[in-house]
Amino acid sequence: GRLDAGLAEQMKATFKEINATNKLNGLVLDLRFVEGKDYAAAMAVADKFLASEKALLSVGETTLRSTAKEDAIRQPVAVLVNQKTSGAAEALAAVLRRSNVALIIGVRTAGDVVLYREFPLNSGQQLRIASSSVRYAEGQALSAKGLKPDISVEVSAADETAYLEDPYKILAGHLAKSAEDTGTNRFSPHLVNEAELVRRHREGLNSDDPAAEAAKAEALTPKPLIRDPALSRAIDLLKGIAVVKQFH
């Protein structure tokens, strides 16, 4: 839920671990419901995707920059955002897109990319007042209207919260739609008739062989489908890019 210091190194370590045993064709960064005001931490994450040194973001009097490196992550990236994506998370998504690293998928972000000053009150509470905007290195301020996604996927906040817990979950309001799914989305029990019994006997498969029956049941069981609309769209996009690259 927060973008804080240390995230960049954790992400790079996880990437190396997975990439060591799997050929990764793309990455999805899920920034939905992510906030925080540590813009240096956000740019440290962006830096992992950039091979050259350049200015990325101006925060007050500080300019945050990427560093030159040979081990930058070069896979295509899709970034998921929603109306609860704010602050440092918004800045990260914006810089990755501006640097031609990622496409943004979801709904417009919160538009809360500003610096605040805090003033203590006699009641013990703190009064926060926006003091200055956060700007791209070229000088343009990040919009207070939020970051508009490249691909819009409208999902309610309640549904997205449920999908974050389990992206394969079929939500109650979507049961009817799920029943209409086709292809691998639909599974009917395999009925056994006389012809099937003959085939099994010929192929050495019989109901007294638990291992064979288990293998057949596994083969007939469809793979789980991602029900999270934004995540599903992101994966489809990355798969498409991977396929196109094979022809270039």
Side-chain angles (χ1 to χ4, degrees):
R2 290 190 63 82
L3 201 164
D4 291 320
L7 176 61
E9 295 308 319
Q10 293 176 26
M11 184 199 70
K12 190 61 181 289
T14 301
F15 171 80
K16 286 184 176 180
E17 179 182 352
I18 298 175
N19 200 43
T21 55
N22 298 270
K23 178 177 172 54
L24 298 182
N25 290 317
L27 299 174
V28 179
L29 295 184
D30 196 343
L31 298 180
R32 293 173 295 180
F33 301 101
V34 179
E35 56 183 22
K37 294 299 179 184
D38 193 335
Y39 295 100
M43 293 306 98
V45 174
D47 175 55
K48 300 301 181 184
F49 296 91
L50 301 170
S52 60
E53 188 275 337
K54 66 176 182 178
L56 302 177
L57 208 65
S58 293
V59 183
E61 301 298 321
T62 303
T63 299
L64 302 173
R65 313 179 70 89
S66 62
T67 58
K69 64 185 74 63
E70 296 182 355
D71 63 341
I73 298 173
R74 297 184 180 276
Q75 281 82 351
V77 180
V79 178
L80 307 185
V81 299
N82 65 4
Q83 64 272 22
K84 296 294 185 180
T85 304
S86 67
E90 281 184 277
L92 172 59
V95 167
L96 288 178
R97 181 168 68 182
R98 198 175 185 86
S99 301
N100 298 319
V101 169
L103 287 177
I104 312 301
I105 298 176
V107 298
R108 189 180 290 272
T109 59
D112 186 25
V113 189
V114 294
L115 296 181
Y116 290 95
R117 292 183 62 188
E118 293 190 354
F119 299 91
L121 303 177
N122 293 333
S123 63
Q125 295 177 313
Q126 296 283 334
L127 175 64
R128 288 202 315 159
I129 297 179
S131 59
S132 62
S133 58
V134 175
R135 300 177 177 274
Y136 294 111
E138 299 85 352
Q140 178 186 356
L142 275 72
S143 175
K145 295 181 179 179
L147 183 65
K148 182 180 178 181
D150 300 296
I151 300 174
S152 179
V153 179
E154 296 286 344
V155 184
S156 71
D159 283 358
E160 282 195 316
T161 300
Y163 286 131
L164 282 178
E165 296 177 358
D166 181 5
Y168 300 96
K169 184 176 183 179
I170 301 177
L171 303 183
H174 304 279
L175 286 176
K177 182 178 184 300
S178 175
E180 298 171 358
D181 287 343
T182 58
T184 56
N185 294 335
R186 184 175 57 199
F187 175 64
S188 299
H190 190 69
L191 301 179
V192 179
N193 54 26
E194 183 178 356
E196 174 68 7
L197 289 173
V198 172
R199 185 193 67 79
R200 289 189 182 190
H201 180 73
R202 184 174 61 249
E203 297 179 2
L205 296 175
N206 58 70
S207 57
D208 295 328
D209 186 349
E213 290 298 312
K216 185 173 182 61
E218 182 179 356
L220 289 172
T221 302
K223 301 300 183 198
L225 292 176
I226 294 176
R227 303 288 177 177
D228 181 340
L231 179 58
S232 179
R233 187 70 60 87
I235 291 176
D236 285 344
L237 171 67
L238 295 175
K239 284 182 177 179
I241 293 174
V243 171
V244 170
K245 280 188 172 182
Q246 295 178 8
F247 299 98
H248 294 276

